[in-house]
Amino acid sequence: MYSFTEENYLKTIYKLSELHSKNISTNAIAQIIQTKAASVTDMVKRLSDKKLIRYEKYKGVSLTEKGKKVALDTIRKHRIWESFLHTKLKFGWDEVHEIAEQLEHIKSEVLIDRLDEFLGFPTRDPHGDPIPSKTGSIPKNTYKILADMMEDEQVVMNGVLDHSPIFLQYLSKLKLEIGTVLLIIEKIEYDNSMTVKINGKTVQLSNNVTQNILVIPDARK
Amino acid sequence: MYSFTEENYLKTIYKLSELHSKNISTNAIAQIIQTKAASVTDMVKRLSDKKLIRYEKYKGVSLTEKGKKVALDTIRKHRIWESFLHTKLKFGWDEVHEIAEQLEHIKSEVLIDRLDEFLGFPTRDPHGDPIPSKTGSIPKNTYKILADMMEDEQVVMNGVLDHSPIFLQYLSKLKLEIGTVLLIIEKIEYDNSMTVKINGKTVQLSNNVTQNILVIPDARK
DNA sequence: AAATAAATTTAGACTAACCTAAAAAAATAA
DNA sequence: TTATTTTTTTAGGTTAGTCTAAATTTATTT
Ligand SMILES: [Mn+2]
Ligand SMILES: [Mn+2]
Ligand SMILES: [Mn+2]
Ligand SMILES: [Mn+2]
């Protein structure tokens, strides 16, 4: 139906829309797709012809319902494949994304449904991101950013904002993963770093790190 | 490394080489790839430039060692994915090929190794075809064609020559699958059809069918 | 051996997706 | 409100892979 490239553009526009709410600029897309602005202009014209996005010269783009469906479908596939790679093939959460970038473009509706069933209908991928349903509904994240939590609060890690392998590997080294319980010991005003306790061990997290960790208050506390 | 299309050409040339032993003709490739002879000529020039095949104008092509390695690697991936789809996701043997045609082009060496391990290192795919090893070695099939067997012989089905869904579905309907034991009751000279017993049930198989079934003599007999 | 048919290659075009360089529009600063 | 900078678009090319139609080579008949 849609090409590898088209799906990547739509997915990118969807993800940018989640953050910005405004129309998405040519440059923003170019940066993520790792291409030139001129190429993006080319492509958005074609996507617009196919009624997948709305495009007005110099005004950026937004997804139509049709385009949003394709984007969510691609994200669904991506996250289900990531779950498969992680839970069945034992890939680390820092390794799954790159392979899933390829697998998400396999064309077969029944395949992804069977895989979903094989995995027991997971609701979140290895990074804590929600998996869109077949019909394209996706739970809104109500997570908080670790940096915004108060001293003495106990929280559970539930996701990350930065998905880069280097960041994920760093978290693994600290034994910080989805489900890990954190107790906030101290917030250092000077550099906005944070002292937290993880499994009884005290570690210092820079602001850069705490800004990229999503948490929920710990129910057990 | 190599494109989707390049891998498909190499795989096709490999499979034709298995049958013909001679150089492979432009037309033969065109027919399988479902493209025009002119396009094949174009492509074989490029594959030749990359030292993946030997090509002489009007004389057909043959694989170099380098090309053979790529072909076998692609076939390995195809058959491992087919095994996964069949044994884990419960797809029928008539359904796996089409999806594997896409999955075989996923680029990741570690992925296919992990999948292989996850499946317990299968040696044959759902159609009875041998899975090439990582190093590209592949057992030579010593199977016989059912049509060539004698009356009163008992054999075990071990593969098919025709992989089309319609043929595979017909075999499934007859409860004929890999491992099924067949007793040859009678060979009809008139139309070369065959009366066989499958699980105690007597069925009539046309020459068209028996020419496409691979068997080995039953050890139990 | 010449004539005819079939297979293969060449020539010239097309599309998707990309590029660079230049032009035009929008945003920002003076 | 000009002037300058940044963003976006246009113009013109490139590459992989495809096509049709015509030319050429090889194979098969007569
Ligand atoms: Mn990912
Ligand atoms: Mn993810
Ligand atoms: Mn197959
Ligand atoms: Mn097979």
Side-chain angles (χ1 to χ4, degrees):
Chain A
M1 195 74 175
Y2 299 105
S3 74
F4 190 103
T5 312
E6 287 171 325
E7 288 177 350
N8 280 340
Y9 270 84
L10 294 172
K11 200 178 59 157
T12 300
I13 295 166
Y14 178 86
K15 288 193 171 177
L16 287 169
S17 301
E18 270 189 318
L19 306 173
H20 293 325
S21 81
K22 287 175 239 161
N23 274 9
I24 305 308
S25 76
T26 302
N27 258 3
I29 298 169
Q31 201 200 322
I32 295 186
I33 304 266
Q34 296 272 56
T35 186
K36 295 297 145 95
S39 308
V40 174
T41 302
D42 238 42
M43 182 51 115
V44 296
K45 279 181 190 165
R46 266 174 291 151
L47 292 174
S48 177
D49 289 346
K50 295 187 179 178
K51 312 280 183 209
L52 292 161
I53 63 177
R54 282 175 287 271
Y55 168 57
E56 249 192 293
K57 261 193 204 174
Y58 296 102
K59 299 266 170 72
V61 303
S62 64
L63 291 176
T64 61
E65 272 309 304
K66 192 179 165 194
K68 192 178 167 187
K69 187 80 196 52
V70 177
L72 279 167
D73 199 52
T74 308
I75 290 169
R76 171 175 160 80
K77 290 189 201 164
H78 182 98
R79 294 183 180 168
I80 287 177
W81 276 115
E82 280 192 348
S83 301
F84 168 71
L85 295 171
H86 185 65
T87 65
K88 299 292 181 180
L89 301 192
K90 307 301 175 198
F91 281 95
W93 69 343
D94 55 313
E95 301 173 307
V96 297
H97 178 78
E98 197 190 329
I99 304 176
E101 281 293 300
Q102 296 181 63
L103 288 163
E104 72 188 7
H105 303 292
I106 299 293
K107 264 90 192 155
S108 166
E109 209 185 310
V110 55
L111 170 61
I112 208 67
D113 291 343
R114 291 277 178 91
L115 192 59
D116 192 26
E117 187 186 348
F118 182 61
L119 298 172
F121 306 104
T123 58
R124 308 218 161 244
D125 79 5
H127 309 104
D129 294 313
I131 297 174
S133 76
K134 266 187 80 160
T135 55
S137 74
I138 181 166
K140 200 100 196 105
N141 254 353
T142 53
Y143 298 157
K144 297 204 161 70
I145 290 168
L146 176 57
D148 297 340
M149 306 307 285
M150 294 294 127
E151 283 180 7
D152 274 337
E153 278 192 276
Q154 185 163 299
V155 296
V156 180
M157 175 159 159
N158 266 72
V160 289
L161 289 177
D162 182 356
H163 288 67
S164 68
I166 189 146
F167 178 62
L168 299 175
Q169 282 157 21
Y170 175 63
L171 296 188
S172 293
K173 216 177 75 179
L174 297 174
K175 302 275 179 250
L176 251 174
E177 47 194 52
I178 305 295
T180 301
V181 176
L182 296 108
L183 177 64
I184 295 144
I185 308 282
E186 193 184 358
K187 291 178 80 172
I188 316 292
E189 251 187 81
Y190 170 65
D191 62 357
N192 289 310
S193 69
M194 210 177 235
T195 315
V196 299
K197 198 176 264 188
I198 306 166
N199 301 321
K201 220 170 159 183
T202 301
V203 296
Q204 195 68 13
L205 301 177
S206 74
N207 183 247
N208 208 308
V209 169
T210 56
Q211 289 288 351
N212 280 294
I213 293 178
L214 297 172
V215 297
I216 52 171
D218 188 4
R220 281 165 288 184
K221 194 169 180 194
Chain B
M1 194 75 174
Y2 300 104
S3 74
F4 191 102
T5 311
E6 286 171 324
E7 288 178 350
N8 280 340
Y9 270 85
L10 294 171
K11 201 177 58 156
T12 300
I13 295 165
Y14 178 87
K15 289 195 171 176
L16 287 169
S17 301
E18 271 189 317
L19 305 173
H20 293 326
S21 82
K22 287 174 242 162
N23 274 8
I24 306 308
S25 75
T26 302
N27 257 2
I29 298 169
Q31 202 200 321
I32 295 186
I33 304 266
Q34 297 272 58
T35 185
K36 295 297 143 97
S39 309
V40 174
T41 302
D42 239 41
M43 182 51 117
V44 296
K45 279 181 190 165
R46 265 173 291 154
L47 292 173
S48 177
D49 289 345
K50 295 188 180 177
K51 311 281 184 210
L52 292 162
I53 62 177
R54 282 174 289 270
Y55 168 58
E56 249 192 292
K57 258 192 205 175
Y58 296 102
K59 298 265 170 72
V61 303
S62 64
L63 290 177
T64 62
E65 272 310 305
K66 193 177 164 195
K68 193 178 165 187
K69 185 81 197 52
V70 177
L72 278 167
D73 199 52
T74 308
I75 291 169
R76 172 176 158 78
K77 290 188 201 162
H78 182 97
R79 293 182 180 168
I80 288 177
W81 276 116
E82 281 192 348
S83 301
F84 169 71
L85 294 172
H86 185 65
T87 65
K88 298 292 182 181
L89 301 193
K90 308 301 174 198
F91 281 96
W93 68 344
D94 55 311
E95 301 173 307
V96 296
H97 178 79
E98 197 191 330
I99 303 176
E101 281 294 300
Q102 297 181 62
L103 288 163
E104 72 188 7
H105 302 293
I106 300 293
K107 264 90 192 158
S108 167
E109 210 184 309
V110 56
L111 170 60
I112 207 69
D113 290 344
R114 290 277 178 92
L115 192 59
D116 193 26
E117 188 185 347
F118 181 62
L119 299 173
F121 306 105
T123 58
R124 307 215 161 248
D125 80 4
H127 310 103
D129 294 313
I131 297 175
S133 76
K134 264 187 81 160
T135 56
S137 75
I138 180 168
K140 199 98 197 105
N141 255 352
T142 54
Y143 298 157
K144 298 205 162 69
I145 290 168
L146 176 58
D148 297 339
M149 305 308 286
M150 296 292 128
E151 283 180 6
D152 274 339
E153 278 192 278
Q154 186 163 298
V155 297
V156 181
M157 175 160 159
N158 265 74
V160 288
L161 289 177
D162 181 355
H163 288 66
S164 68
I166 188 147
F167 178 62
L168 299 174
Q169 281 158 20
Y170 175 62
L171 296 187
S172 293
K173 216 176 79 179
L174 298 174
K175 301 274 180 251
L176 252 174
E177 48 194 54
I178 305 295
T180 301
V181 175
L182 296 107
L183 177 64
I184 295 143
I185 309 283
E186 193 184 358
K187 291 178 78 171
I188 316 292
E189 250 187 82
Y190 170 65
D191 61 357
N192 290 310
S193 70
M194 210 179 234
T195 315
V196 300
K197 198 176 263 185
I198 306 165
N199 300 322
K201 221 173 159 181
T202 302
V203 296
Q204 195 68 15
L205 300 177
S206 74
N207 182 247
N208 209 306
V209 168
T210 57
Q211 289 288 352
N212 281 293
I213 294 178
L214 296 172
V215 297
I216 51 171
D218 190 3
R220 280 165 289 183
K221 192 166 183 195

